[in-house]
Amino acid sequence: MERYYQKEIECASRDEIRSLQSRRLVEQVRFVWDNVPYYRHKMEAQGVTPDDIKGIEDISKLPFLKKDDLRDSYPDGLRGVPAKECVRIHSTSGTTGKRVVAYYTKDDIELWNDCVARALVAADISDEDVVQVCYGYGLFTGGLGLHGGAEKLGCMVLPMSSGSTERQLQFMVDLKSTVLCCTPSYAAYLSETINETGLRDKIHLRRGIFGAEAWSDDMRASIESSLGIKAHDIYGLTELSGPGVAYECSAQKGMHINEDHFLAEIIDPETGKSLPLGSKGELVITSLTKKGFPLLRYRTRDICILSEEKCSCGRTFVKMSRPMGRSDDMLIVKGVNVFPSQIETVLIQQGYSSNYQIIVDRKNNSDTLDVMIEMTSENFSDNLGKITAQEKSLVSELKAMLGIYANVHLVAPKSIVRSEGKAVRVIDRRKI
Ligand code: DLL
């Protein structure tokens, strides 16, 4: 286990980390230039050669890669090695256009497992733990990603995949799972069911590793208290291997980026200009070691803040805040920018559950915004006669947060369809 708390790397001085990143960047740029003609052409178009990249200070000379590049080069235009050297493929869950396909060599899988194992160690998980993985297995990276890291650490892994809540709970009790890995929305659903079915005293959970979608500190507090666990965030994306690009330590204040494998930058999503540490902007990541799918300056579209502040856990890796929305899932309603996370903040502050759905439509040439909010069983039965008054108060809270009017509908418990993977929060019916 000690192997995965790689103190000499995770707690190295900032100068040591930067110099390791510089060395790796120079090698990786040369590797990509020699092996990925799609990116070499982009560099040539920008008048850059590997000789121009002497260290991380030169990173902004390199062109960005965007999701469109990944679609244009589908299925293998960004692969860095012959197919024969790859041992696995994963793919994004995108519903529009072509899916993105990512390739992994044996070494890529090893380093990915190391990154996830570090994340588990940072959450105080060890080879004593029984880890129930309820992220989907298959093309989605959640299942196999957490599985690989936990197995590498020597944990006993329950490869449940998503769904079959009844079976999840039976195994959780009978096999004494101590760690739960799933999306935060599924964790909230499981915790509701555990409490409703009186299983709370029969479970042995002590940690949760939740990620793959946006969640808030309030949602964390509610899951932690209803399950009696500590819940840790984990971040990643298929294009950059999967979960484990960044992970939360005992401080639970932001996620350390595995900087020996990933170089992080923040840019202005409109202009593409690099922003200084501490600014809010789009996260751009360069993979420094992966060879199967070696992406340079990949625009994640996740909006966050990077910080080099000293962490109480002793790790010196830069921390990223929770993603605060995506540059591409910002809704524009009646000309106003609306992020689903703003709506969630109001709901949680007002004591509602995090089960909600936002429906945007267009009637008579004007946008409409409807928010369906599920009541908890307590506030449903206690307040049946007062729903209209509660809806009115939520309308004014949302107006204060968003600056526009939203129709609010408080709906019965469990009436919004649950997702076993990432929750579907927004339905945009406008045909523009
Ligand atoms: O969601 C990988 C993953 C699996 C991460 C399990 C964590 C746990 P994709 O399906 O490619 O990969 O989706 C990546 O999900 O760009 C973010 O917008 C979002 N996301 C991932 N982790 C978090 C998180 C996986 N901790 C996209 N908080 C990313 C908020 C997250 N959003």
Side-chain angles (χ1 to χ4, degrees):
M1 200 189 100
E2 192 53 24
R3 256 176 69 207
Y4 297 104
Y5 177 44
Q6 290 155 320
K7 209 168 176 182
E8 70 287 0
I9 301 170
E10 290 180 74
C11 303
S13 73
R14 292 299 309 153
D15 281 349
E16 282 167 332
I17 293 170
R18 276 191 274 266
S19 98
L20 175 68
Q21 288 186 315
S22 284
R23 275 201 316 277
R24 290 189 167 172
L25 178 67
V26 169
E27 278 168 26
Q28 186 78 330
V29 169
R30 172 65 64 190
F31 174 81
V32 170
W33 173 271
D34 290 342
N35 294 286
V36 184
Y38 184 95
Y39 195 78
R40 187 174 62 233
H41 295 148
K42 282 188 87 97
M43 285 176 65
E44 282 165 348
Q46 209 154 298
V48 197
T49 71
D51 292 338
D52 298 315
I53 309 299
K54 304 211 161 47
I56 55 173
E57 62 285 1
D58 295 321
I59 186 82
S60 55
K61 294 180 183 163
L62 290 168
F64 290 119
L65 277 172
K66 291 187 180 174
K67 191 104 171 181
D68 284 349
D69 290 302
L70 273 56
R71 294 203 178 106
D72 292 349
S73 57
Y74 176 89
D76 53 10
L78 288 166
R79 200 175 60 214
V81 296
K84 180 154 188 334
E85 288 175 36
C86 295
V87 295
R88 201 188 298 165
I89 285 171
H90 280 283
S91 171
T92 56
S93 50
T95 47
T96 51
K98 280 184 184 139
R99 283 170 168 253
V100 168
V101 188
Y103 296 82
Y104 302 69
T105 64
K106 244 187 191 158
D107 285 347
D108 294 341
I109 299 276
E110 285 302 305
L111 72 87
W112 179 20
N113 288 342
D114 282 350
C115 287
V116 175
R118 277 185 196 166
L120 299 179
V121 170
D124 185 35
I125 293 164
S126 74
D127 54 4
E128 306 278 329
D129 280 293
V130 179
V131 178
Q132 181 158 348
V133 182
C134 331
Y135 288 112
Y137 279 62
L139 288 171
F140 178 55
T141 54
L144 285 164
L146 266 299
H147 184 117
E151 203 168 83
K152 193 146 193 187
L153 195 54
C155 307
M156 169 131 86
V157 187
L158 283 177
M160 301 296 296
S161 196
S162 54
S164 311
T165 301
E166 207 180 298
R167 192 179 53 188
Q168 301 279 4
L169 297 180
Q170 186 194 344
F171 278 8
M172 189 183 288
V173 170
D174 294 348
L175 303 177
K176 302 189 172 53
S177 308
T178 53
V179 179
L180 176 66
C181 304
C182 60
T183 55
S185 50
Y186 193 53
Y189 177 55
L190 283 175
S191 82
E192 260 172 42
T193 317
I194 287 169
N195 284 287
E196 278 165 18
T197 49
L199 288 177
R200 175 72 160 78
D201 294 339
K202 298 199 173 71
I203 59 165
H204 298 77
L205 293 179
R206 56 176 208 91
R207 289 289 182 272
I209 303 290
F210 306 137
E213 65 182 8
W215 55 314
S216 58
D217 273 335
D218 297 301
M219 189 165 172
R220 185 212 301 268
S222 138
I223 298 174
E224 285 191 334
S225 72
S226 66
L227 287 178
I229 62 172
K230 264 187 108 179
H232 292 258
D233 205 348
I234 187 163
Y235 171 85
L237 49 165
T238 316
E239 298 89 317
L240 295 160
S241 68
V245 170
Y247 57 93
E248 214 174 37
C249 61
S250 52
Q252 292 179 301
K253 281 207 172 84
M255 294 177 271
H256 291 284
I257 294 180
N258 268 312
E259 284 192 286
D260 48 340
H261 298 295
F262 301 103
L263 173 63
E265 302 168 73
I266 291 288
I267 61 159
D268 178 330
E270 304 292 327
T271 63
K273 286 235 158 62
S274 296
L275 296 175
L277 226 59
S279 319
K280 181 170 162 184
E282 180 178 342
L283 179 67
V284 173
I285 296 210
T286 293
S287 139
L288 295 171
T289 45
K290 259 155 36 79
K291 297 293 183 250
F293 204 57
L295 300 191
L296 303 182
R297 294 201 95 198
Y298 182 61
R299 290 186 58 163
T300 64
R301 288 153 297 139
D302 291 317
I303 305 292
C304 68
I305 298 173
L306 295 180
S307 150
E308 260 186 10
E309 248 172 59
K310 213 170 170 249
C311 184
S312 57
C313 77
R315 288 177 181 78
T316 45
F317 280 168
V318 149
K319 285 208 278 195
M320 63 179 272
S321 66
R322 281 179 191 289
M324 300 157 172
R326 285 165 65 82
S327 53
D328 64 349
D329 80 15
M330 180 185 77
L331 292 160
I332 303 183
V333 184
K334 296 180 189 163
V336 173
N337 297 349
V338 173
F339 286 98
S341 55
Q342 294 174 296
I343 296 180
E344 178 164 335
T345 304
V346 170
L347 302 188
I348 305 260
Q349 276 168 2
Q350 299 296 311
Y352 291 93
S353 77
S354 51
N355 296 313
Y356 65 93
Q357 211 156 45
I358 300 165
I359 300 169
V360 192
D361 210 338
R362 178 161 282 192
K363 288 184 187 126
N364 304 326
N365 286 329
S366 171
D367 291 337
T368 56
L369 175 64
D370 285 75
V371 186
M372 321 293 289
I373 305 149
E374 221 180 72
M375 302 187 80
T376 59
S377 33
E378 300 88 69
N379 59 30
F380 187 60
S381 49
D382 294 352
N383 294 297
L384 256 182
K386 302 182 213 149
I387 288 185
T388 325
Q390 289 184 34
E391 285 174 343
K392 273 195 184 143
S393 121
L394 273 171
V395 167
S396 59
E397 294 295 334
L398 285 171
K399 175 102 197 319
M401 172 66 98
L402 308 173
I404 55 166
Y405 176 82
N407 300 304
V408 168
H409 311 271
L410 287 172
V411 297
K414 304 246 161 94
S415 55
I416 295 178
V417 179
R418 295 291 192 279
S419 154
E420 287 148 358
K422 301 189 191 216
V424 180
R425 300 286 193 212
V426 181
I427 300 175
D428 194 342
R429 295 194 178 128
R430 293 173 295 185
K431 300 206 170 40
I432 305 172

